Amino acid sequence: MSNLPDFESLAVFAKVAEEGSFAAAARQVGMSVPTVSRCIARLEKRLGGRVFNRNSRQLALTEFGRSLIEHANRLCRDAEEVEGAAREMSSTPRGLIRLAAPMSYGLRWVAPILPDFMSAYPQISIDLRLSDAAVDLVGGGFDAALRIAVLPDSSLVAQRLCEVSRFIVAAPSYIKRNGRPSHPRDLKESDCLAYAYRARSDVWHFAKGRSREVTVSPRGRLRANNAELLLPVLLAGQAIAELPEFIAGEYLQDGRLEALIPDWFQKKGGLYFVTPTARSRPTKIDALRDYLVERLANPPWRWP
């Protein structure tokens, strides 16, 4: 047995755990399924324990495997950084970018601009994953993410692309039937829809000027983990909701929704391009960042 670590088997182990099957991992790493199986068997023999429980239909990490997977993932990330630094010698951005983005924003504003990017950079591939849940860039193996938030301090590297406002909105039919609130406290008795993934979704904060602040705990009959899911009830005139400008803009422009209590403001967030590190960042990531800055720094959804 070699005194050197079995880097290949550890990398295969990490890929099998990520993909959830030997066959999918084999396709990703360009090996045959038997070769992948031999790598895992070799690793288990070397380490003295099983890393997977498996049968003909299922595969799952053992407790031993779970204790090792983060170490294997970190090893793979470090190796990828080494290779990425080496590829910096090439002037042409190339390779795969694993990009995470919020669901509604990704569908509305990221997907439509990808064709131009892919035409400009034919040697770059995009693996775009959409989810409204905050993804773990490092643990999930992502190269970058778009995030819409008021970002806390973290070890991530974030570049602000643009400001993102939020509006309290309702359909004209709701306003006609229930009246137009003139103060945030009027919302306490209203049917207010909640977006589950918004930070502190159970509290809405409002400010007027520099000293006046009001906090409202909205109550309503619908709570969803995607803001788009609130639209049918909202447009039917059955409730009030808080929506980000990139969703609300088109409805405010055509009058299907109206902004309420516009003289009270909520803390504005931003659209950020986030990466795990700026150290040895491949040129492909910088190419995507620069493109998104160009296309999204002055977004088309602004209202009014």
Side-chain angles (χ1 to χ4, degrees):
M1 181 184 295
S2 170
N3 290 327
L4 291 174
D6 190 346
F7 294 108
E8 180 185 53
S9 293
L10 286 167
V12 170
F13 163 55
K15 184 58 68 174
V16 172
E18 177 185 341
E19 295 296 330
S21 79
F22 280 33
R27 288 192 295 270
Q28 287 293 321
V29 300
M31 292 179 173
S32 67
V33 174
T35 301
V36 168
S37 182
R38 284 193 295 271
C39 283
I40 298 302
R42 188 171 71 233
L43 182 67
E44 291 176 336
K45 180 179 179 180
R46 183 183 183 100
L47 299 180
R50 293 180 62 83
V51 295
F52 292 110
N53 287 322
R54 52 196 182 273
N55 56 35
S56 59
R57 293 180 299 173
Q58 291 183 318
L59 180 143
L61 286 166
T62 63
E63 182 177 356
F64 181 62
R66 287 194 296 272
S67 71
L68 299 175
I69 187 60
E70 181 53 35
H71 298 290
N73 284 335
R74 184 165 60 247
L75 183 67
C76 289
R77 289 194 298 270
D78 289 344
E80 288 171 354
E81 284 196 9
V82 171
E83 291 186 353
R87 284 195 291 267
E88 284 292 303
M89 291 183 293
S90 170
S91 61
T92 303
R94 67 185 68 201
L96 175 67
I97 299 176
R98 298 192 73 230
L99 175 67
M103 179 67 71
S104 296
Y105 189 84
L107 289 171
R108 285 172 174 257
W109 303 107
V110 179
I113 65 175
L114 284 182
D116 287 346
F117 177 79
M118 297 178 75
S119 294
Y121 297 96
Q123 297 188 56
I124 292 180
S125 301
I126 303 289
D127 182 355
L128 177 61
R129 304 296 176 95
L130 302 182
S131 173
D132 283 347
V135 300
D136 179 354
L137 263 68
V138 175
F142 288 97
D143 299 297
L146 287 170
R147 287 187 175 170
I148 298 171
V150 178
L151 284 184
D153 291 336
S154 74
S155 60
L156 302 176
V157 178
Q159 178 171 343
R160 186 182 176 105
L161 303 186
C162 67
E163 184 178 83
V164 178
S165 299
R166 299 194 301 269
F167 296 95
I168 304 299
V169 296
S173 58
Y174 180 93
I175 297 171
K176 182 177 180 180
R177 186 171 61 254
N178 297 282
R180 183 184 296 274
S182 60
H183 192 279
R185 61 172 170 261
D186 298 336
L187 300 174
K188 294 180 180 180
E189 304 304 319
S190 302
D191 192 353
C192 298
L193 310 180
Y195 171 52
Y197 282 140
R198 178 188 178 277
R200 296 298 307 277
S201 62
D202 56 332
V203 178
W204 292 351
H205 296 274
F206 297 87
K208 190 173 186 179
R210 294 189 175 184
S211 58
R212 299 175 63 186
E213 295 187 3
V214 175
T215 298
V216 175
S217 297
R219 296 183 298 173
R221 293 185 295 150
L222 177 62
R223 179 182 174 91
N225 63 358
N226 182 277
E228 299 274 0
L229 302 179
L230 307 178
L231 284 171
V233 173
L234 190 61
L235 294 171
Q238 297 179 359
I240 291 172
E242 178 196 65
L243 290 181
E245 187 178 11
F246 65 85
I247 294 178
E250 66 173 282
Y251 301 99
L252 292 169
Q253 290 170 9
D254 64 21
R256 283 180 288 173
L257 294 176
E258 295 184 21
L260 306 178
I261 49 175
D263 51 339
W264 287 83
F265 299 95
Q266 294 178 285
K267 189 173 183 179
K268 295 182 179 181
L271 171 66
Y272 294 87
F273 182 78
V274 182
T275 57
T277 178
R279 180 170 55 91
S280 301
R281 190 164 61 192
T283 55
K284 62 184 180 181
I285 305 301
D286 290 335
L288 178 61
R289 178 204 60 197
D290 293 345
Y291 177 79
L292 293 175
V293 167
E294 177 186 351
R295 296 296 296 266
L296 300 177
N298 294 299
W301 63 72
R302 289 292 187 221
W303 185 87

